[in-house]
């Protein structure tokens, strides 16, 4: 299962935007200092930069790290163009994108190692990333990167609920096989959201906010918004990969039925997730 292809990351953008919790976002924005120093682990195609600007964070520095060079190259090329289309004066120089008083860079590298080498950041962002790595390693690395009283924003963290509609007799077996495939990969945890919350509560800092942020993708009439047909097609590919090494009864029929429903604008998909906001100790 590969989650790093640029088109998939772009296609899920509209899904993420609907899913993120406004309450957790508002708590984050209320606690951020002016002109924050932001570091993002697993920055993907760089969509956090326009999101920060939409939220009014228009000063400070942003450093995004991703191990996949193709998505970093995409971010460096496409994000400045998008920002200009939106009316921002985005200037590119020496690998940096400057938008008024906000400066952004996108780098290829190991996100956790980069966090461990950082210090005194005001905000660490790890969107749809905390369920791809060991949660304790992520929190350790985030705390290393952050200064006293600083913030870790961990939205879109998967927590073990996968729903497809309409019903199919193989639904339960398919979900079990899909989740088992996730759990079987090193460092992965199909219940990362709840375990990350417990981990944050046990730390010296404070879990400031937590709320559900389920992906809900459904047809509007007989079609889907934006590029969400492609998004759903990739989700079905991920499930197919998980089923390839199993003997789920009616698994082939399940996949055929879901692809037909997607083509006909009848498929609904839900993934259960959480947004979390953690603050490091004040250091007094």
């Amino acid at each position: 299962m590969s989650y790093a292809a640029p088109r998939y990351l772009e296609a899920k953008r509209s899904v993420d935007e609907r899913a993120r919790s406004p309450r957790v976002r508002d708590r984050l924005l209320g606690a951020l200092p002016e002109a924050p120093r932001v570091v993002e682990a697993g920055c993907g195609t760089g969509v956090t930069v326009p999101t920060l600007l939409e939220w009014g964070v228009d000063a400070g520095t942003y450093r995004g790290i991703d191990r996949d060079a193709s998505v970093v190259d995409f971010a460096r090329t496409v994000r400045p163009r998008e920002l200009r289309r939106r009316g921002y004066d985005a200037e590119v120089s020496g690998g940096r994108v400057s938008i008024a008083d906000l400066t952004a860079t996108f780098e290829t590298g190991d996100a956790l190692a980069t966090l461990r080498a950082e210090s005194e950041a005001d905000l660490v962002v790890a969107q749809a990333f905390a369920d791809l790595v060991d949660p304790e390693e992520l929190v350790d690395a985030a705390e290393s990167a952050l200064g006293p009283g600083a913030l870790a924003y961990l939205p879109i963290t998967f927590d073990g609920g996968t729903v497809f509609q309409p019903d199919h007799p193989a639904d339960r077996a398919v979900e079990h096989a899909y989740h088992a495939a996730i759990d079987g990969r090193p460092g992965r945890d199909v219940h990362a959201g709840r375990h990350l919350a417990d981990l944050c509560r046990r730390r010296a800092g404070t879990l400031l906010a937590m709320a559900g942020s389920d992906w809900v993708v459904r047809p509007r009439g007989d079609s889907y918004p934006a590029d969400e047909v492609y998004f759903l097609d990739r989700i079905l590919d991920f499930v197919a990969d998980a089923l390839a090494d199993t003997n789920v009864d009616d698994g082939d029929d399940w996949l055929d039925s879901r692809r037909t429903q997607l083509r006909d604008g009848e498929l609904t998909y839900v993934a259960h997730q959480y947004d979390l906001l953690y603050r490091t100790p004040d250091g007094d």
Side-chain angles (χ1 to χ4, degrees):
M1 289 180 259
S2 174
Y3 300 92
R7 186 176 175 188
Y8 168 72
L9 295 176
E10 291 289 287
K12 80 183 190 74
R13 185 174 178 179
S14 58
V15 185
D16 288 342
E17 288 172 352
R18 286 198 303 271
R20 282 190 299 259
S21 164
R23 181 171 63 82
V24 178
R25 176 203 62 204
D26 291 347
R27 189 70 187 272
L28 163 67
L29 295 177
L32 265 185
E34 292 186 13
R37 184 180 174 194
V38 181
V39 183
E40 181 169 20
C43 66
T45 55
V47 298
T48 294
V49 172
T51 299
L52 289 172
L53 289 166
E54 289 172 8
W55 292 353
V57 182
D58 55 6
T61 62
Y62 166 92
R63 183 185 183 192
I65 304 97
D66 201 288
R67 69 180 179 182
D68 191 292
S70 67
V71 299
V72 172
D73 288 343
F74 186 95
R76 290 170 176 164
T77 301
V78 172
R79 289 290 78 88
R81 294 176 184 171
E82 176 196 350
L83 292 169
R84 293 185 192 113
R85 286 197 304 270
R86 292 187 174 202
Y88 294 102
D89 184 14
E91 299 181 359
V92 180
S93 177
R96 295 177 180 273
V97 183
S98 298
I99 315 99
D101 294 321
L102 179 66
T103 301
T105 59
F106 304 105
E107 306 171 20
T108 303
D110 184 306
L112 295 184
T114 301
L115 290 180
R116 294 186 196 102
E118 275 280 351
S119 63
E120 302 302 319
D122 297 301
L123 172 65
V124 165
V125 178
Q127 174 169 290
F129 180 79
D131 50 21
L132 302 179
V133 297
D134 181 270
E136 190 156 6
E137 289 187 20
L138 173 60
V139 175
D140 285 344
E143 288 188 325
S144 176
L146 292 166
L151 303 165
Y153 178 50
L154 312 167
I156 317 294
T157 301
F158 185 60
D159 195 63
T162 303
V163 176
F164 292 90
Q165 283 289 299
D167 288 334
H168 187 282
D171 279 341
R172 183 169 296 182
V174 168
E175 182 186 28
H176 177 78
Y178 181 45
H179 291 177
I182 294 172
D183 261 342
R185 303 187 71 184
R188 298 293 303 275
D189 179 359
V190 78
H191 293 114
R194 69 191 70 177
H195 295 155
L196 188 61
D198 284 342
L199 178 62
C200 289
R201 282 195 290 265
R202 295 196 304 269
R203 293 290 177 124
T206 304
L207 183 61
L208 289 180
M210 177 179 177
S213 55
D214 291 359
W215 278 343
V216 180
V217 185
R218 62 180 179 85
R220 315 297 169 90
D222 59 357
S223 62
Y224 296 87
D227 200 17
E228 294 179 20
V229 168
Y230 180 82
F231 170 79
L232 286 173
D233 189 58
R234 294 298 295 131
I235 295 294
L236 292 177
D237 285 344
F238 299 152
V239 176
D241 288 345
L243 295 180
D245 297 324
T246 67
N247 294 309
V248 172
D249 290 341
D250 295 327
D252 288 342
D253 182 71
W254 187 95
L255 283 167
D256 289 343
S257 297
R258 295 313 187 193
R259 294 198 187 281
T260 298
Q261 291 159 358
L262 176 58
R263 185 187 65 231
D264 294 343
E266 298 173 348
L267 183 64
T268 294
Y269 165 68
V270 179
H272 180 49
Q273 299 163 146
Y274 289 114
D275 288 1
L276 300 98
L277 181 65
Y278 174 76
R279 183 174 61 197
T280 58
D282 290 333
D284 296 335

